[in-house]
Amino acid sequence: MWLAFFGAAILIAVSPGAGAIQSMATGLTHGVRRGYWSIIGLEIGLMLQLTLVAVGLGAAVSNSILAFTIIKWVGVAYLAYLAVRQWRTAAVDLRTQVDRVVAGGRASLVARGFLVNATNPKGLLFFLAVMPQFVVPTAPLLPQYVAIGVTMVAVDLVVMGLYTGLAVRLLTWLRTPRQQTVLNRVFSGLFATAAVVLSLLRRGPATI
């Protein structure tokens, strides 16, 4: 059963989403080492959602139109903000900027990653729909939730790190301001697309 969940976790992590976009955008502007602070924030947000589902709050949110709508539109607004921010990013020599200290430092990167996952109710719906299939109700639940959480975080750390590294590889051909501007606009469009997709997300019935 764990191997089955491990495979599902890989497929879910590899599937492009707001987290992958955030990882690539951060890797592009801050490099792999600093990009991992954003990834840590993503994992904290992921664990928050898993914890909410584990204690039963996820089902309550899924069943509450108001709570679901509030969380969803906060997520949409934040992704839209990231889209605008990426669009307005000035073209610089990124190859000399990947190790620079960003405004707000590491805490800012962690917070940015956390907000991307914490304000995305799609994660809650995923845990509600998928996690029960890998939980044995007659066995102690806490060790199972811990195993699920550790597996998800381990897989996501690797996959998001690969997305961050992929973005850093793009630096090898970003030699002109025009190329940098085009890529910033592409990432801006991806954030905006993620916001639209999230806005279309509908509340489904709770499964646990």
Side-chain angles (χ1 to χ4, degrees):
M1 184 175 291
W2 178 84
L3 288 175
F5 180 77
F6 179 65
I10 292 176
L11 292 176
I12 294 160
V14 170
S15 301
I21 298 169
Q22 169 65 17
S23 296
M24 294 186 71
T26 305
L28 178 65
T29 54
H30 306 311
V32 174
R33 287 189 302 172
R34 295 193 179 279
Y36 253 99
W37 289 102
S38 175
I39 295 174
I40 290 174
L42 289 172
E43 304 318 311
I44 295 174
L46 189 68
M47 287 302 94
L48 172 63
Q49 293 185 334
L50 175 59
T51 301
L52 291 176
V53 172
V55 300
L57 295 179
V61 171
S62 182
N63 286 322
S64 169
I65 296 177
L66 178 60
F68 181 88
T69 301
I70 290 174
I71 294 175
K72 181 180 78 170
W73 286 106
V74 168
V76 169
Y78 186 64
L79 289 173
Y81 160 76
L82 291 178
V84 173
R85 184 177 184 275
Q86 195 72 30
W87 183 278
R88 298 177 63 181
T89 298
V92 296
D93 187 353
L94 293 175
R95 287 168 294 176
T96 65
Q97 295 291 318
V98 293
D99 288 324
R100 67 188 173 90
V101 178
V102 298
R106 297 167 180 173
S108 176
L109 292 175
V110 172
R112 198 179 306 168
F114 170 77
L115 287 173
V116 167
N117 268 353
T119 60
N120 187 353
K122 186 177 180 180
L124 280 176
L125 296 183
F126 160 73
F127 280 125
L128 285 168
V130 176
M131 193 169 68
Q133 304 175 42
F134 299 97
V135 173
V136 181
T138 56
L141 294 178
L142 181 59
Q144 297 183 71
Y145 287 138
V146 170
I148 288 173
V150 170
T151 301
M152 284 292 298
V153 168
V155 169
D156 213 51
L157 281 172
V158 173
V159 173
M160 294 303 109
L162 292 175
Y163 275 122
T164 303
L166 176 63
V168 173
R169 292 295 298 270
L170 295 175
L171 294 175
T172 59
W173 62 268
L174 292 177
R175 301 180 183 277
T176 68
R178 177 177 176 79
Q179 290 173 323
Q180 296 170 26
T181 298
V182 169
L183 193 61
N184 282 332
R185 300 293 166 79
V186 169
F187 277 108
S188 175
L190 291 174
F191 276 124
T193 300
V196 172
V197 172
L198 180 57
S199 72
L200 299 176
L201 189 66
R202 295 291 180 265
R203 181 177 62 89
T207 58
I208 62 174

